[in-house]
Amino acid sequence: MDAAFQNAALAGFAFCLLWAAARDARGYVIPNRAIVATIALFPIYLLTRAIATGSMISAVGDGAVGLSLAALVLIAGLAMFSLHLIGGGDAKLASAVALWAGADNVVAFLIIASISGGVLAAAVLIWRAAFPQLESAPSLQTFGVRLRQGLKAPVPFGVAIAIGGLYIVTRLAAL
């Protein structure tokens, strides 16, 4: 029974990541409800894992480490937000995923999210430059000019964060 609740919490986490990614891809907005739900599911996961393993002290320690890492990622994310490098929702979502990642997986999460974000940004940039008629009114500018203008356009980094988060889901499900 404990494993069922643990798996339900992980499934809820995965659902929240997919929800955030879909909304970010569609409208460049990550719903706060998805982030709050992600955070709210974490204590349920910890409690069910503690019951399954019989180690409440380990769960409390993992929770404290997760909160510390989430705070650090949030501070770094807000610094990047103030520099207009990412959106506020991206910073909050990355922090919520860092909570789940814990000390064992946070570096892997950040690397996967960063690489996914770079690939996503390059793909979006090339797409916008190659197919301007699909983005807005057709452009008579050259490909290079459109490519430079595309650097200022937003990118849904919530998708990349969700990819890193789904990696965390698979790691936690394997435990």
Side-chain angles (χ1 to χ4, degrees):
M1 186 67 163
D2 300 329
F5 286 120
Q6 192 173 351
N7 290 336
L10 283 171
F13 176 38
F15 172 79
C16 290
L17 290 170
L18 294 172
W19 175 23
R23 289 289 303 274
D24 197 29
R26 193 178 79 203
Y28 301 109
V29 174
I30 297 174
N32 284 332
R33 289 180 296 202
I35 296 166
V36 169
T38 299
I39 294 168
L41 286 167
F42 184 66
I44 296 168
Y45 171 76
L46 277 183
L47 183 62
T48 57
R49 196 179 83 201
I51 292 169
T53 62
S55 176
M56 188 59 105
I57 293 172
S58 174
V60 170
D62 289 346
V65 169
L67 284 172
S68 300
L69 291 170
L72 288 173
V73 170
L74 183 62
I75 290 167
L78 292 176
M80 292 192 303
F81 172 69
S82 70
L83 297 171
H84 304 288
L85 297 175
I86 63 172
D90 299 327
K92 293 182 287 187
L93 182 62
S95 177
V97 175
L99 175 69
W100 281 80
D104 296 339
N105 297 313
V106 73
V107 172
F109 157 65
L110 293 172
I111 289 171
I112 290 169
S114 298
I115 291 170
S116 299
V119 170
L120 177 66
V124 167
L125 179 65
I126 291 170
W127 176 267
R128 288 178 180 151
F131 304 105
Q133 66 276 11
L134 297 177
E135 294 293 321
S136 61
S139 176
L140 300 175
Q141 298 167 328
T142 66
F143 181 80
V145 170
R146 290 192 310 266
L147 199 57
R148 281 190 297 279
Q149 288 175 342
L151 291 173
K152 297 176 184 161
V155 175
F157 282 114
V159 174
I161 295 167
I163 290 169
L166 290 172
Y167 170 77
I168 298 305
V169 170
T170 62
R171 294 281 297 165
L172 295 175
L175 294 178

